Amino acid sequence: MDLKQLVKEAEAALAPHFARIGDLAERGTARVLDAFREARVSASMFAPTDGYGYDDRGRDTLDEIYARVFDAEAAFVRHSILSGTHALTIGLFGLLRPGDTLLSVTGKPYDTLDEVIGLSGEAGRGSLADFGVKYKEVALLPNGDPDYEGIASALADKTVKVAFIQRSKGYLDRRTLSVEEIGRITETVRAHSDAFVMVDNCYGEFVEEREPTAVGVDLMVGSLIKNPGGGMAESGGYLAGTRKAVELCGYRYSAPGVGLEIGASLGQTKNMYKGLFYAPHTVAQALKTAHLAAYLFEKLGFATEPHWSETRHDIIQSVKCENAEILIAFCRGIQYGSPVDAYVTCEPWDMPGYGDPVIMAAGTFTQGASLELSADGPIRPPYIAYFQGGLTYESGKIGVLRAAEEVLKVQNERKSL
Ligand SMILES: *Cc1c(COP(=O)(O)O)cnc(C)c1O
């Protein structure tokens, strides 16, 4: 198999998609620049604050900019939100109270939320269950569609306070939901209940023209070492939504009564602004890389989700590897094609918060940043590699080619046995 020739073929076939993605990045960039201009962003806002961080204009203005770019009433963005899981935890504990029910309406939430909800792990660590919050779930239909009827009937339980939607597939063999579908779920919830609608938006930002907050959800949550950090933010997360939901989460983030009034920026502000500036462009680079990976691996005989010809709703590309050896080879190839730690051969390990060993390729400038070229997968059937990122299409392409080479090597060794 001549991989160079295959890439040429891929790029010809993908030209219309790449043009569409270019337009998307332009419109996203215009949205960000409009928000920067209206908020009168100036260099003085990047100055670090310390201590309590009262009156940090850079921080407060970035909150306004996020709200504006995401069509939300309010938002907060903090380098001190440690991860996506932490941001989601702030959201869940911000909105739920003892006796309430959390209803996940898109099947099982992301692995790391199991212990937060209290579905796994030891009792007594302060999960939602420990605080008397109940949990229920409506599965997606076998074809991957939301079960609108099922959601409507689950809302007959009037203790449901949060209807929880996960946009991206996460580590599940499912498809990613579009913003339009999230809008329809939101309408369904509104018709039957006054519960908050909360969205795990990880990996979704800037992949479509609109975010879930533009179709009326109460709260949307994401990580800055994924899409909206643009590869620049060194840590952090955001929560955006209605004024009420964001205020409640602000009290949980810091302390009741204190809310979003404090929080020193410690010099992290400029990277967060710069990251948002880059985000529409960088997400486009990742999307192009994902399309290319889908094309190549499909031609090499692998099942991919989404298909190379499909329009995307997040930056994740899954490749079904069929066995642990191929999955490991795929991730090793991505690592060998990365800018940092390219000499390292990755191995599966027991990551905190995940049930099965996970293999992770992350030759990234920022640890675990997955808008940067990265791949991971739990070592369990059907051995899916979840691949994402690429700060530049050029480097993403090199990484994907290395992955293909490693996979072909294993296949050839197997054949010659
Ligand atoms: C990444 C991710 C999370 C959790 O983010 P961490 O930063 O790894 O804690 C939650 N949900 C989804 C869908 C994700 O992709």
Side-chain angles (χ1 to χ4, degrees), residues 83-85 88 110 112 166 168 170 200 202-203 223 226 354:
S83 67
T85 304
L88 288 159
Y110 194 71
T112 59
Q166 181 179 307
S168 176
D200 174 352
C202 281
Y203 291 124
S223 163
K226 296 178 180 173
Y354 295 83

Side-chain angles (χ1 to χ4, degrees), residues 318-398:
S318 68
V319 177
K320 214 170 263 183
C321 291
E322 304 300 349
N323 64 61
E325 214 186 340
I326 299 276
L327 170 59
I328 292 168
F330 181 99
C331 292
R332 285 181 175 166
I334 294 293
Q335 184 80 29
Y336 298 147
S338 297
V340 180
D341 292 334
Y343 62 91
V344 168
T345 298
C346 42
E347 300 279 352
W349 65 301
D350 289 312
M351 235 180 111
Y354 295 83
D356 296 284
V358 174
I359 182 145
M360 226 171 229
T364 56
F365 290 99
T366 295
Q367 190 191 80
S370 46
L371 183 57
E372 300 190 46
L373 186 73
S374 48
D376 35 60
I379 307 292
R380 67 183 177 218
Y383 303 101
I384 294 174
Y386 296 87
F387 160 85
Q388 65 272 315
L391 292 178
T392 66
Y393 173 65
E394 296 76 18
S395 63
K397 180 166 150 180
I398 289 169

